[in-house]
Amino acid sequence: MTVARRTSARPVGVAVALLVVCLATTERIWAEDQMTPLLLAVHDRPIPFRGSDGRTHLVYELWITNFSSGDATVEQVRVLGGATALATLDAAAVASRLQPAGRRDASPTLPGGGTSLLFIHLTLAANTTPPARLSHEVKAQIAAAPPGQQQMTLSGGEVAVDRRAVVVIGPPLRGDRFVAADSCCDATRHTRAALPVDGRVRIAQRFAVDWEQMDDANRIYVGPREQLRSYRIYGAEALAVADARVASVLDGLPEQTPGKFPEAISLAQADGNAVVLDLGNGRYALYAHLQPGSLRVRAGDRVRRGQVLGLVGNTGNSVAPHLHFHVMDGPSALDANGLPYEIDAFTVTGHTPGTAAFDAAEEQGTPLAITPVNPPAAVKHALPLDQTIVRFAP
Ligand SMILES: [Zn+2]
C-alpha cells in the first residue's frame, strides 16, 4: 500500500504540473489572440501620383468582410503610414465611402457575412515622400459580440505602396475650356466602378475622365439638347497621347441621342466606338464614345504622339457627347485595373462648382458658374483632378 501510494504519487504530480502548463498555455493564447470579426484587405496596391493641385494622391479600396452573424457598423477608419496617422475618416466619411460589394449606394453597416469596399482617397502635401506601407485601424460596433464588448478596434489591410513610375503622356485633346468631369478622386461614377470580371473585381475606370468642353459663355451645349452638333466638344479630334501601337479598334456603333439614356446597350458596346493604345510597359490608353466612321487607325498601326485617332462622339453608353479617356493595366476595357497617369503639360484655367452643378449645366445647357484661376496655372506632370477646367496646347 505504502509502496503503491508512493509510486502513484509521482504521476499525479506530473499530471498536475502538465495541467498547470496546459492552463498557462491556453490562458496565454486567450490573452494574446483576438477575435477579429472584421477582416481587412487591400487587393490593388495604391500607386502615388501627382494631381493638378500639385499634391500627391493615393486612391485605393479597403475591403472589409463582416465575419460575424450580426450587423457591423463602421464608425471610424484611420489610415496609418508606419506609426503616422495619414488620414482619419469619420462616421460621415465612412457612410459616404463604404459600399456593399456589387452595389453603388453607400452604407456604414455591413450585414452579417457581408463584404463592402471602402473607397479611400489619400492626399499628401506637395513633395511628400509617400510611406512604404499603409495599414488601417477600424472602429466598429459588432452586434454579435458579447454585451459590453461590442465596440471594437480592428487593425489590418496592410499593403505596400506601389512605387512604380507613373506613365507620363501628352494631352488627349487640343484646345481650351475642357472640363475634367467625373475625374479623380472623389467623383463616384468612375472611381467606384468596381466590376466582377473573369473571376476578379476590376476597376478599369478608376482614374478615368469624361472630357467635356464649354463655349465662351461656359455652356456645354447651345441649341437643341438632343442634337449632337449643339455640343461644344462634338467632333473634336481625339489625339494619341504617346507614340504607341494600336491594340484594338471598335467601330460601327451608331450615335445615341443626347439627353436620353441609351437602351439595350450590351457591356461590350458600352464604350461605343473606341480605340485602345498599347503605350508599352503594361499600360494601355482607352478612348471611348467616338463618332462612327471617324476612326483613322486600325489595330496593329503605329501612331505618333498627337496623331488624330478619331472624332469625339456620343456612341455606346453615353448621354452627351464627350471623350472618355483612361489608362489601364491591360488591353481589355473590362478585365483591367485603372492606373494613374500624368499629362506632361497643360494649363488650369478654372474650376467648376462641382459634379452637381456640372450635371445641371449638361442637362439644361445653362452656363456653369466657374471659379477662374487667375492667372491661369501652368501645370507639369499631373493628372487633371475632378472638375478642373483645362487648356491643352493648340
Ligand atoms: Zn466615362
Side-chain angles (χ1 to χ4, degrees), residues 182 190 205 208-210 289 322-325:
D182 288 310
H190 291 141
Q205 307 181 36
V209 178
D210 282 345
H289 313 304
H322 70 283
L323 175 65
H324 171 109
F325 176 83

Side-chain angles (χ1 to χ4, degrees), residues 53-59 86-87 120-126 128 185-186 385:
D53 59 356
R55 300 199 282 179
T56 300
H57 299 261
L58 292 91
V59 172
L86 300 174
I120 295 179
H121 169 210
L122 276 185
T123 305
L124 307 177
T128 308
C185 305
D186 299 312
L385 297 175

Side-chain angles (χ1 to χ4, degrees), residues 379-391:
V379 174
K380 299 229 178 286
H381 290 215
L383 189 148
L385 297 175
D386 188 38
Q387 298 297 331
T388 300
I389 301 164
V390 165
R391 176 164 69 223

Side-chain angles (χ1 to χ4, degrees), residues 47-59 121 166-170 172 180-186 190-191 205-211 325-328 338-348 351 379-390 392:
I47 305 171
F49 66 94
R50 192 165 174 271
S52 52
D53 59 356
R55 300 199 282 179
T56 300
H57 299 261
L58 292 91
V59 172
H121 169 210
V166 170
V167 64
V168 178
I169 58 175
D182 288 310
S183 181
C184 197
C185 305
D186 299 312
H190 291 141
T191 312
Q205 307 181 36
R206 195 185 271 123
F207 300 97
V209 178
D210 282 345
W211 286 106
F325 176 83
H326 74 234
V327 174
M328 55 194 176
L339 296 174
Y341 58 88
E342 296 171 356
I343 296 179
D344 53 8
F346 58 95
T347 304
V348 173
H351 300 279
V379 174
K380 299 229 178 286
H381 290 215
L383 189 148
L385 297 175
D386 188 38
Q387 298 297 331
T388 300
I389 301 164
V390 165
F392 293 123

Side-chain angles (χ1 to χ4, degrees), residues 125-140:
N127 303 317
T128 308
T129 305
R133 298 185 71 78
L134 299 174
S135 64
H136 306 83
E137 217 176 72
V138 173
K139 266 191 202 165

